[in-house]
Amino acid sequence: MQLRRIPYVSHAILIAMTVFMLYPIAWMVASSFKESSTVFVDAASLIPNQWNFDNYINGWKGVAGVTFTTFFANTFLVVGFATVGSVLSSAVIAYGFSRIRFRGRNIWFVCMMLTMLLPYEIVMVPQYILFNQFGWINTYLPLIVPTFFGTPFFVFLMMQFIRSIPYDLDEAAEIDGCNKFMTFVRIIMPLILPAMMTCVIFSFYWRWDDFLAPLLYLNKVSLYTVSLAIKMFSDPDNVTDWGALFAMSTLSLIPVIVVFFVFQRYIVEGIHTSGLKG
Amino acid sequence: MNRRRTFTVLFAVLLALATVLSACGGSKSSDGGGSGSPSASQPAGSASTAGSGSGGGSSGDEPKPVTLKVLWWGGQTRHDNTLKIIELYQQQNPHVTIEPEFTGFDGYWEKLSAMVAGNNTPDVLQMNFGEYLTQYAKNDVLADLNPFVQSGIIDTSKLDAGIMESGVVDGKLLGIPLGMNALTVIYDPDLIQKAGAKEPALGWTWDDFKEIARTVHKNLGIYGSPTLEANNILEYYARQNGQKFFNDEGTGVGYEDWIFIDYFKLQVELIKEGVMPTLDVMQQHSALEDQLIVHGKAPFDVRWSNQVVALSKAANRPLKLTVLPGPNTEKGLFLKPSMFFSVAKNSKNAEEAAKFINFFVNSLEVEQIQKGERGVPINSDIREAISQQLDEVQKNMFEYIDLAAANSSPIDTNYPPGSAEVLSLLGTDIEDRILFDEMSPEEGEKKFREQTAEILARKR
Amino acid sequence: MATEQAAAPAAGTVFRARRRKRKTGGYRNLTGYAFISPFLIGFFGLTIIPIAMTLYLSFTDYNMLRPPEWIGLENYERMFTKDEKFWHALRVTFFYTFTAVPFRLIVALAIAMLVAKIIRGAGFYRTVLYLPSIIGGSVAVAVMWRQLFGLEGAINTILRWIGLPGVSWLGNPKYAIWTLILLYGWQFGSSMLIFLAGLKNIPHEYYEAASVDGAGKIQMFFRITIPLLTPVILFNVVIQLINGFLAFTPAYVIFGDGRPLGATLMYVLYLFQNAFTFFDMGYASGMAWVLLVIVGVLTALIFKSSEYWVHYETKGGR
């Protein structure tokens, strides 16, 4: 494919957008270097008067002797398992819904979509009671196990991608002797890699930011995730440590950005062939 | 064919796994505060480390090992402090193991209500005054601590009697206050002096307040005062005129209409003169560290006394505290508990929990660690001893509480179910509309009265 | 394409008999259910009980501190006839959704198309443009957004630069909701990502063939890009619609309680208040189910309409 000369207009727009996208974040990062109590007094200036690394040092100390090292490690653990679980299971389910015409398919699809329509804040109390019966409180189980049963958002996304793959490929595979599962693994999965990578990115950052579920289910501080730990800096009764809050929030962005940067490549490279040329 | 079988087997295994997971951990007892019955999936840390038998037993027999779950909210400092205190308690009481649980303020109530709903209430929990206490009391979640007071386990001899009343609902003592607060006017003495106005002091009145505000506005060009949050101050205004916010039956407001109207007229007037900012300006400054006084844009701020610490730090200059304007300041002002410790009604270790709370409010060592972080201590001896060790701002706060204590009357404890909704109505709807000039104070009064009655009737 | 369509049946005729035997309904049902079994296990084991419970709770008076008490339709009655805040929240949320969602999607698509063409620095741009969405609705975002829209904040400064008067974004009920709408639009990265994936999914060959045939850029956009993007467009529209209606965290963190004057009282925010501040989980559950019905119906309508405008590459597999 010939490299097209990108008009300067596109670049200009993109650069303008970059500034617009980044300014608020730059503000947050800058504030993380300011002294806590001056954050609001000094709000207009982007560049801090003095570069204060204390916020990072103090913030990292965390709470009750549990440092952010632990919090980050915990969060990686939970998010990692949850991402693997949800993306893989969702792919399998998506294949079932989009490639196999079985009885009741539409009903189950509707059921699945309906589960997305209830806000988590409402479901969480009955869910807590249920998980309490299982004895899963104060473990990571409520955060990880449900992901292995598919995430409707991901299922739906992958369905849309699977549906844009011509059925010819499946037929060709079957002629060659594959059963449905092999067709799925050998043919379809590689083709929906961009969708799967997209889901990996989403899953990672949703779980990373998740607050309510860890709040309800984790009792011991040593199990806490980063999102929980950051909320503890905010104290309406007393002095809120804004500096530490911004510092840790900034740091919290980094893994998500890295994951994004690494995986977004596959969204591009994932399509070498459309498969049509078989 | 081979693959298909593996595939089906795989799913069968997953299914079995899920069933197994749901079945295991069924040993979790479904009642009580989770004392000493660790479920299969809980980390081993919950096993009591008691082992070493007696520790100076109370009535001569060896105390049984006990596990207490304690839940609180707060910031970093409070967590660190409280854990040190727990450590101390465990040292002095080796048969007790405490499982601490804590969160930020955000999410505390959601977590606690889920725990209660799931029958997982902690033994000792931090509680707030107001509708929280009322609701938890009404629904029988909290234990009556009177028996422990009577038997001497909780020593109330040095505890401020007035503030202890705030934890009583329907004759039952459901919470022990951990600290005291009072409404205060925080002011910047320099700004007021520069404007040539009179410095506020005990005995000043609303007329004085208006005068100072107007003078500052005229001479310095800044605002004379922020608007006064009705949720906090309307009650004070009612009380100083001998009335109450809620009526005794809990069916509606407890004041005559002119109180509400006067209160708002005062502000509407000052807003029209430009002495008080319009509401959209006030909306900009919601964080504590972002208030007008911090930016030097107003000489006053009216808050709870414990918030002066953050405010002073942000303002970075000395601020002073005084009582709210009179007449009859002493009728209006009241000491409010910053928070309580309560015990779960179905706790299996209520007595031990009570002992812990007693330790918390009656030991000097505790306050030496806390240094007033949960509010001014309610034990008078401790209060005196500690104030020596505090910094300037905190000393001021302590002194103010003494002043307030001497010039106040008991808090009104009749916060009926539904009061949270009423306060939300007042603070985010009625007050805003009046100050935005969308509703006259008279209309607001009527509307608020009607809607409050409706809400309280529904919630009763 | 056309030639391949002809080839397949020919190649398949020989094996037609065998293929038909494998494709019996029974086989299809078995494999179908096998593939979606994770969903079914999760649904019946973990999801359906809490969901059913919330429906039950909507007919009760429940404050979480003591067992629920059956009150029948009282919650719903109050909701529809006596609660003006309910209708207000619904109006606010409808306005928000039908403004913010198109805004976000159009920007996302436009930018995705820009980025798709760029080779050098694509990763960088993608990351930067995606950054806002990963900040989500944290406390940090809330503070930052409030600063941005403050009376002396960056937005007003820019407005004054270009000669427009500053606006009280946070204090004026007319403008407050726009801060939330702009926030939603600012976080378009996730939708952009999906559009990107969809765009990359369109084989270059189509564009090449079309340009050989003499098609112009606009023609290619409307004849190739859009139709082949429709599955992804459907996805984004449905998902963003649901997101819009269920939006909660930003309103909660930035404004807290629907101020000023209820201008930012999103439906789920009001629901949350009822559940946890007003101790009325039963009523909140009722609100949740009403929302479910509304969004469910809207989603169903969109799906129904999709038969007319969404183009899937598959044939027979549907």
Side-chain angles (χ1 to χ4, degrees):
Chain A
M1 128 136 190
Q2 55 188 130
L3 276 177
R4 301 161 60 189
R5 249 181 315 125
I6 298 119
Y8 286 122
V9 177
S10 307
H11 258 304
I13 297 180
L14 281 176
I15 293 183
M17 292 241 66
T18 307
V19 173
F20 195 57
M21 296 285 112
L22 287 188
Y23 178 82
I25 301 175
W27 188 89
M28 181 176 90
V29 176
S31 301
S32 71
F33 288 108
K34 295 185 188 168
E35 214 261 297
S36 275
S37 50
T38 63
V39 166
F40 289 98
V41 182
D42 222 4
S45 65
L46 202 51
I47 318 283
N49 284 331
Q50 337 165 274
W51 291 82
N52 200 335
F53 286 92
D54 287 346
N55 291 330
Y56 283 89
I57 302 176
N58 284 332
W60 192 267
K61 287 206 198 113
V63 178
V66 183
T67 66
F68 268 81
T69 320
T70 315
F71 295 139
F72 272 95
N74 290 343
T75 317
F76 271 112
L77 182 79
V78 174
V79 173
F81 274 106
T83 302
V84 168
S86 60
V87 177
L88 286 181
S89 61
S90 301
V92 171
I93 299 171
Y95 183 73
F97 273 129
S98 49
R99 272 314 204 231
I100 306 178
R101 294 174 68 194
F102 57 93
R103 198 131 57 118
R105 178 178 76 158
N106 285 335
I107 301 177
W108 294 119
F109 178 72
V110 169
C111 279
M112 184 188 73
M113 292 300 284
L114 284 182
T115 62
M116 280 204 285
L117 299 183
L118 282 175
Y120 182 66
E121 292 81 7
I122 278 294
V123 179
M124 72 187 191
V125 173
Q127 202 184 59
Y128 178 90
I129 299 178
L130 182 73
F131 285 142
N132 192 27
Q133 289 298 320
F134 290 171
W136 288 3
I137 305 297
N138 207 33
T139 68
Y140 288 134
L141 291 172
L143 304 177
I144 297 181
V145 172
T147 65
F148 280 84
F149 301 118
T151 304
F153 181 97
F154 299 154
V155 174
F156 184 27
L157 180 63
M158 290 196 244
M159 278 172 69
Q160 298 306 90
F161 275 85
I162 294 178
R163 279 175 166 175
S164 49
I165 299 173
Y167 206 56
D168 302 338
L169 294 177
D170 291 52
E171 288 178 358
E174 261 147 48
I175 292 169
D176 284 352
C178 291
N179 64 9
K180 283 288 188 194
F181 188 67
M182 285 169 69
T183 317
F184 167 63
V185 173
R186 292 268 183 80
I187 310 288
I188 301 294
M189 245 174 73
L191 287 177
I192 59 167
L193 211 58
M196 286 178 75
M197 292 299 114
T198 312
C199 293
V200 165
I201 293 173
F202 283 138
S203 171
F204 194 87
Y205 100 75
W206 285 350
R207 308 273 164 204
W208 189 268
D209 275 351
D210 192 13
F211 168 68
L212 278 180
L215 172 81
L216 284 190
Y217 295 114
L218 301 177
N219 293 337
K220 277 191 113 107
V221 192
S222 48
L223 292 179
Y224 277 14
T225 58
V226 170
S227 57
L228 271 186
I230 289 184
K231 283 269 186 177
M232 291 203 281
F233 286 122
S234 138
D235 190 357
D237 282 347
N238 248 307
V239 186
T240 297
D241 195 346
W242 293 107
L245 193 141
F246 287 130
M248 292 302 112
S249 299
T250 307
L251 285 184
S252 175
L253 281 182
I254 295 179
V256 186
I257 296 178
V258 168
V259 163
F260 175 81
F261 200 74
V262 166
F263 283 93
Q264 54 86 30
R265 227 180 336 130
Y266 293 100
I267 301 179
V268 180
E269 293 178 8
I271 320 279
H272 286 304
T273 68
S274 65
L276 266 190
K277 296 207 183 125
Chain B
M1 263 39 77
N2 211 0
R3 296 286 175 93
R4 204 201 304 181
R5 213 181 290 143
T6 341
F7 171 73
T8 348
V9 168
L10 190 67
F11 278 111
V13 166
L14 269 177
L15 191 81
L17 202 70
T19 334
V20 165
L21 277 175
S22 0
C24 95
S27 59
K28 178 91 180 168
S29 56
S30 55
D31 55 295
S35 51
S37 53
S39 87
S41 42
Q42 268 199 357
S46 61
S48 75
T49 52
S52 57
S54 59
S58 33
S59 39
D61 49 340
E62 281 191 18
K64 284 199 326 264
V66 154
T67 313
L68 282 184
K69 256 211 244 174
V70 179
L71 176 72
W72 72 88
W73 77 78
Q76 224 181 351
T77 326
R78 185 176 303 168
H79 299 325
D80 290 337
N81 289 345
T82 315
L83 287 168
K84 284 203 203 113
I85 296 171
I86 287 178
E87 199 39 58
L88 194 61
Y89 187 76
Q90 287 181 140
Q91 276 171 16
Q92 297 180 2
N93 298 274
H95 64 289
V96 177
T97 313
I98 297 188
E99 277 172 28
E101 288 171 25
F102 49 90
T103 69
F105 185 76
D106 218 349
Y108 178 81
W109 297 105
E110 289 83 359
K111 185 180 174 104
L112 182 58
S113 37
M115 287 169 98
V116 174
N119 248 317
N120 227 349
T121 321
D123 299 285
V124 178
L125 50 130
Q126 211 167 273
M127 178 54 56
N128 235 344
F129 180 78
E131 176 150 20
Y132 286 115
L133 182 63
T134 313
Q135 286 281 358
Y136 277 77
K138 187 171 94 124
N139 290 293
D140 231 14
V141 181
L142 307 174
D144 185 3
L145 299 173
N146 270 323
F148 298 114
V149 174
Q150 281 154 17
S151 69
I153 290 184
I154 299 184
D155 175 14
T156 57
S157 53
K158 295 285 181 177
L159 306 180
D160 185 296
I163 204 79
M164 288 296 292
E165 275 300 306
S166 61
V168 176
V169 181
D170 285 339
K172 296 195 225 152
L173 178 64
L174 297 174
I176 306 287
L178 299 182
M180 304 191 286
N181 276 329
L183 278 175
T184 177
V185 170
I186 303 172
Y187 65 93
D188 185 338
D190 289 335
L191 274 182
I192 294 191
Q193 204 187 45
K194 243 188 6 183
K198 206 170 53 164
E199 187 166 326
L202 181 62
W204 68 317
T205 64
W206 283 107
D207 286 329
D208 293 325
F209 167 80
K210 283 197 274 187
E211 202 191 299
I212 300 175
R214 286 184 173 125
T215 314
V216 169
H217 174 68
K218 199 169 80 147
N219 294 345
L220 296 183
I222 57 179
Y223 292 113
S225 161
T227 53
L228 308 169
E229 272 179 58
N231 271 352
N232 287 333
I233 304 170
L234 181 57
E235 180 173 14
Y236 168 82
Y237 201 81
R239 284 168 54 102
Q240 76 184 146
N241 286 291
Q243 303 180 20
K244 292 188 184 174
F245 190 80
F246 286 113
N247 63 21
D248 284 329
E249 303 81 35
T251 57
V253 302
Y255 52 81
E256 289 159 30
D257 52 5
W258 61 267
I259 291 196
F260 184 101
I261 296 176
D262 276 9
Y263 174 80
F264 279 105
K265 271 214 171 117
L266 188 151
Q267 295 183 75
V268 172
E269 203 183 295
L270 289 177
I271 293 180
K272 287 217 171 81
E273 293 175 23
V275 176
M276 273 188 178
T278 51
L279 197 62
D280 52 349
V281 173
M282 285 303 293
Q283 294 281 358
Q284 310 287 331
H285 305 272
S286 71
L288 198 53
E289 293 82 353
D290 202 14
Q291 294 304 311
L292 290 173
I293 192 174
V294 171
H295 297 280
K297 291 207 183 132
F300 287 127
D301 198 76
V302 189
R303 302 239 152 238
W304 293 102
S305 49
N306 64 329
Q307 295 177 309
V308 73
V309 178
L311 219 53
S312 301
K313 245 182 128 187
N316 210 16
R317 57 191 196 281
L319 299 175
K320 286 204 185 160
L321 300 161
T322 189
V323 298
L324 268 67
N328 295 325
T329 304
E330 16 10 282
K331 282 213 274 191
L333 220 51
F334 54 92
L335 291 177
K336 183 170 150 165
S338 52
M339 60 196 79
F340 300 105
F341 260 156
S342 298
V343 177
K345 180 129 193 226
N346 51 14
S347 160
K348 298 216 150 112
N349 299 294
E351 190 176 307
E352 199 58 56
K355 285 200 192 136
F356 176 71
I357 298 180
N358 178 55
F359 173 75
F360 213 90
V361 295
N362 279 320
S363 315
L364 182 58
E365 331 165 75
V366 169
E367 205 53 46
Q368 279 170 336
I369 298 176
Q370 280 206 124
K371 300 218 188 69
E373 196 276 332
R374 277 191 162 88
V376 175
I378 64 176
N379 179 316
S380 50
D381 285 347
I382 295 183
R383 202 156 61 232
E384 222 183 275
I386 271 296
S387 62
Q388 320 292 345
Q389 306 177 14
L390 301 170
D391 67 38
E392 192 67 39
V393 177
Q394 284 178 310
K395 270 215 191 96
N396 281 340
M397 188 175 85
F398 272 61
E399 275 169 20
Y400 175 72
I401 291 289
D402 283 334
L403 178 66
N407 289 286
S408 61
S409 40
I411 189 173
D412 293 323
T413 57
N414 52 340
Y415 267 72
S419 37
E421 202 173 331
V422 169
L423 289 175
S424 167
L425 171 70
L426 178 63
T428 65
D429 189 356
I430 307 275
E431 175 176 25
D432 282 1
R433 275 194 219 278
I434 298 180
L435 295 182
F436 242 138
D437 215 12
E438 277 194 19
M439 203 157 61
S440 71
E442 290 82 0
E443 290 170 330
E445 203 288 323
K446 232 179 82 165
K447 205 145 189 251
F448 183 61
R449 184 175 291 267
E450 276 167 17
Q451 291 192 310
T452 302
E454 186 264 314
I455 294 173
L456 295 182
R458 189 179 7 112
K459 281 295 185 13
R460 207 154 2 115
Chain C
M1 270 284 269
T3 43
E4 265 145 357
Q5 278 181 18
T13 330
V14 177
F15 302 97
R16 194 182 296 149
R18 197 154 135 216
R19 260 168 54 199
R20 265 219 210 103
K21 216 191 285 177
R22 290 184 70 187
K23 291 274 195 340
T24 56
Y27 171 75
R28 277 208 305 241
N29 285 343
L30 183 67
T31 45
Y33 278 100
F35 271 98
I36 69 163
S37 60
F39 161 69
L40 291 173
I41 298 172
F43 185 69
F44 285 106
L46 297 177
T47 323
I48 198 160
I49 299 175
I51 289 187
M53 248 164 116
T54 61
L55 182 59
Y56 165 68
L57 288 175
S58 71
F59 295 105
T60 68
D61 177 10
Y62 185 50
N63 55 25
M64 291 180 292
L65 305 179
R66 101 162 128 203
E69 224 179 87
W70 184 268
I71 55 171
L73 290 171
E74 246 180 72
N75 282 330
Y76 290 103
E77 206 193 296
R78 170 157 70 98
M79 206 185 301
F80 292 120
T81 60
K82 299 203 199 110
D83 193 351
E84 47 170 81
K85 251 174 148 182
F86 164 77
W87 293 106
H88 177 80
L90 213 50
R91 272 195 300 268
V92 171
T93 312
F94 261 90
F95 178 75
Y96 170 82
T97 307
F98 285 106
T99 318
V101 169
F103 176 43
R104 178 191 265 204
L105 290 182
I106 293 175
V107 174
L109 181 56
I111 303 288
M113 296 200 62
L114 267 180
V115 176
K117 297 202 202 123
I118 297 202
I119 310 296
R120 239 190 340 191
F124 168 76
Y125 278 124
R126 271 183 233 135
T127 312
V128 162
L129 295 169
Y130 187 69
L131 216 51
S133 2
I134 55 181
I135 306 195
S138 60
V139 177
V141 173
V143 175
M144 163 171 79
W145 212 247
R146 286 191 73 97
Q147 283 304 318
L148 213 59
F149 283 93
L151 284 175
E152 311 293 325
I155 302 282
N156 277 337
T157 315
I158 296 178
L159 283 178
R160 288 192 199 112
W161 253 11
I162 60 178
L164 293 171
V167 163
S168 176
W169 295 99
L170 300 176
N172 192 331
K174 280 200 298 234
Y175 297 115
I177 190 83
W178 286 96
T179 63
L180 291 178
I181 294 176
L182 286 172
L183 179 66
Y184 195 77
W186 183 64
Q187 298 183 320
F188 67 80
S190 45
S191 306
M192 176 197 80
L193 203 63
I194 296 176
F195 277 132
L196 250 185
L199 281 172
K200 291 290 179 178
N201 217 14
I202 303 174
H204 304 311
E205 295 83 34
Y206 288 2
Y207 290 113
E208 284 168 7
S211 74
V212 160
D213 283 353
K217 279 217 297 224
I218 309 232
Q219 264 189 310
M220 288 204 279
F221 179 74
F222 282 105
R223 276 3 222 343
I224 301 179
T225 315
I226 294 283
L228 289 179
L229 264 190
T230 48
V232 158
I233 294 180
L234 173 68
F235 174 82
N236 265 338
V237 168
V238 168
I239 292 294
Q240 293 309 319
L241 188 82
I242 297 177
N243 269 354
F245 272 103
L246 266 63
F248 162 64
T249 312
Y252 181 58
V253 220
I254 297 182
F255 290 99
D257 42 19
R259 300 173 99 163
L261 289 185
T264 61
L265 189 70
M266 306 284 293
Y267 191 86
V268 178
L269 175 61
Y270 184 47
L271 189 156
F272 184 82
Q273 273 184 341
N274 274 297
F276 293 104
T277 316
F278 304 159
F279 290 93
D280 203 343
M281 183 57 109
Y283 189 74
S285 305
M287 283 183 73
W289 279 86
V290 169
L291 185 68
L292 186 147
V293 169
I294 294 176
V295 183
V297 166
L298 285 173
T299 311
L301 286 175
I302 296 182
F303 268 110
K304 212 56 181 76
S305 79
S306 75
E307 287 171 29
Y308 299 105
W309 56 275
V310 178
H311 169 94
Y312 292 113
E313 274 295 283
T314 57
K315 28 172 249 304
R318 292 190 62 204

